[in-house]
């Protein structure tokens, strides 16, 4: 065999090794890309929840129909609580393997990202801005922003609100931003939670309270002297929030929601708290 032929063979083998190496590197780079935040990544958050044996859920304690704490018994009940129990049953096999922690519109994202809770189930509207901080489940409740006023009020809807109207709301809620955009220059007083805002409305500190209609109906049910007026003027899809990257938790939540809707349990929970079946 000639020397030149041997050299050619060696070069051919070397080239094949380089190509093979490049192929392996490409595979490794693709896998690394998924591991660094791709949708297929398993964050192992579910494993941590199972190891703990308890699901930590942030819910509101002041929002009738969704999450309200009974001061006499200390029990928290509502639509969000029942959904949370269903998720706990899906993940841990026991709806009672759950610990509820109070959150407000202002504290829920910090508490989630500090690791104090596994998820937020607290009338939280899915927005592009919030998606930068947390990951969301599918929509689990469809609401719309409206106004709560004292019966006989001249305010009959958004069209009645002017910059001289005094609006009450909750800190950190999207409803504050929305009303300011709808009525430039309007006066807004912000409170730590909805019950404080409702108390202020009853005390005459404002003309109307604004947030999602579902929450307002809960307030109106507490006091027949108040009513929800006008048509909803925003679209408020509620989602369940988890830490960014916890794709396994999002999947477990979405699987739970799909099962609840397919077997009729979602409609039962909705009717139990809202008083009617969800719109189809």
């Amino acid at each position: 065999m000639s020397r030149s032929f041997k050299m050619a063979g060696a070069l051919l083998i070397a080239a094949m090794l380089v190509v093979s190496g490049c192929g392996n590197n490409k595979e490794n780079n693709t896998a690394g890309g998924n591991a660094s935040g791709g949708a297929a990544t398993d964050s192992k958050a579910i494993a941590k929840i199972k190891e703990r044996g308890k699901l930590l859920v942030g819910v509101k304690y002041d929002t009738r129909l969704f999450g309200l704490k009974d001061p006499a018994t200390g029990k928290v009940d509502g639509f969000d609580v029942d959904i949370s129990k269903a998720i706990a049953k899906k993940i841990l096999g026991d709806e009672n393997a759950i610990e509820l922690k109070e959150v407000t519109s202002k504290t829920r994202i910090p508490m989630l990202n500090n690791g104090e809770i596994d998820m937020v189930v607290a009338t939280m509207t899915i927005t592009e801005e919030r998606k930068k901080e947390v990951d969301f489940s599918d929509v689990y409740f469809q609401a719309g922003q409206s106004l709560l006023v004292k019966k006989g009020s001249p305010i009959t809807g958004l069209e009645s609100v002017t910059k001289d109207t005094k609006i009450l709301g909750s800190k950190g809620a999207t409803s504050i931003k929305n009303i300011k955009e709808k009525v430039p220059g309007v006066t807004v007083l912000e409170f730590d939670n909805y019950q404080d805002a409702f108390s202020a409305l009853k005390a005459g500190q404002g003309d109307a309270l604004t947030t999602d209609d579902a929450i307002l109906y809960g307030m109106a049910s507490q006091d027949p002297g108040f009513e929800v007026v006008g048509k909803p003027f925003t679209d408020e899809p509620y989602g369940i929030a988890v830490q960014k990257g916890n794709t396994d938790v999002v999947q477990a939540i979405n699987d739970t929601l799909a099962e609840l809707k397919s077997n009729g349990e979602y409609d039962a929970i909705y009717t139990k708290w809202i008083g009617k079946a969800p719109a189809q």
Side-chain angles (χ1 to χ4, degrees), residues 64-66 78-79 82 141 213-215 217-218 221 265-279:
R64 185 177 291 271
L65 304 184
F66 284 85
F79 183 91
D82 283 358
F141 191 93
D213 53 0
I215 298 174
Y217 282 122
S221 72
E265 288 185 45
Y266 178 87
D267 285 4
I269 294 171
Y270 194 106
T271 302
K272 171 185 175 182
W273 293 107
I274 309 305
K276 60 180 181 179

Side-chain angles (χ1 to χ4, degrees), residues 14 45 86 91 95 169 218 220:
I91 296 174
E95 68 172 25

Side-chain angles (χ1 to χ4, degrees), residues 248-265:
D248 53 346
V249 181
V250 172
Q251 188 62 56
I253 295 170
N254 287 343
D255 288 346
T256 304
L257 295 176
E259 289 176 11
L260 292 177
K261 290 179 179 180
S262 66
N263 63 22
E265 288 185 45

Side-chain angles (χ1 to χ4, degrees), residues 150-256:
K150 188 173 183 177
K151 285 185 176 178
S153 168
I155 297 174
T156 56
L158 182 65
E159 66 280 356
S160 305
V161 178
T162 70
K163 65 179 182 179
D164 296 320
T165 305
K166 190 174 291 184
I167 300 293
L168 310 179
S170 177
K171 294 176 182 177
T174 54
S175 52
I176 297 296
K177 178 183 177 181
N178 292 339
I179 196 70
K180 288 181 177 179
E181 290 177 349
K182 298 288 185 181
V183 188
V186 69
T187 300
V188 178
L189 298 181
E190 299 181 48
F191 296 83
D192 287 333
N193 56 60
Y194 290 119
Q195 282 301 315
D196 287 349
F198 188 31
S199 295
L201 180 65
K202 290 190 284 188
Q205 296 179 32
D207 302 305
L209 193 160
T210 190
T211 186
D212 304 340
D213 53 0
I215 298 174
L216 296 179
Y217 282 122
M219 294 179 184
S221 72
Q222 298 178 56
D223 191 326
F226 292 82
E227 63 181 345
V228 180
V229 295
K231 296 179 180 179
F233 50 87
T234 65
D235 183 35
E236 305 293 334
Y238 292 170
I240 297 171
V242 305
Q243 282 191 5
K244 287 197 76 65
N246 283 1
T247 53
D248 53 346
V249 181
V250 172
Q251 188 62 56
I253 295 170
N254 287 343
D255 288 346
T256 304

Side-chain angles (χ1 to χ4, degrees), residues 5-153:
F5 187 79
K6 288 180 179 179
M7 289 180 64
L11 289 172
L12 179 61
I13 292 171
M16 291 173 66
L17 289 173
V18 170
V19 170
S20 175
C22 287
N24 289 336
N25 286 339
K26 184 176 181 181
E27 261 184 53
N28 291 337
N29 288 338
T30 301
N34 288 337
S36 63
T41 302
D42 184 347
S43 69
K44 296 184 173 56
I46 289 291
K48 293 178 182 177
I49 293 169
K50 288 182 176 180
E51 183 178 355
R52 186 197 304 132
K54 182 167 55 178
L55 184 67
L56 307 179
V57 183
V59 300
K60 289 180 177 177
Y61 282 17
D62 68 332
T63 307
R64 185 177 291 271
L65 304 184
F66 284 85
L68 185 67
K69 184 175 182 178
D70 184 332
T73 64
K75 187 178 180 182
V76 185
D77 285 313
F79 183 91
D80 286 345
V81 176
D82 283 358
I83 294 295
S84 299
K85 288 180 177 179
I87 297 169
K89 185 175 181 179
K90 175 71 173 178
I91 296 174
L92 297 168
D94 180 2
E95 68 172 25
N96 295 313
I98 189 171
E99 180 178 337
L100 302 177
K101 295 196 175 187
E102 181 179 13
V103 299
T104 66
S105 297
K106 184 178 180 180
T107 65
R108 55 194 173 189
I109 290 180
M111 286 179 65
L112 178 65
N113 289 333
N114 286 342
E116 297 176 58
I117 48 181
D118 299 312
M119 61 187 65
V120 175
V121 191
T123 64
M124 190 171 181
T125 301
I126 300 170
T127 68
E128 292 304 315
E129 185 176 354
R130 286 173 177 164
K131 285 181 181 179
K132 297 174 184 177
E133 298 184 81
V134 300
D135 285 341
F136 279 105
S137 69
D138 293 337
V139 176
Y140 78 97
F141 191 93
Q142 185 64 52
Q145 187 173 341
S146 197
L147 299 165
L148 179 72
V149 300
K150 188 173 183 177
K151 285 185 176 178
S153 168

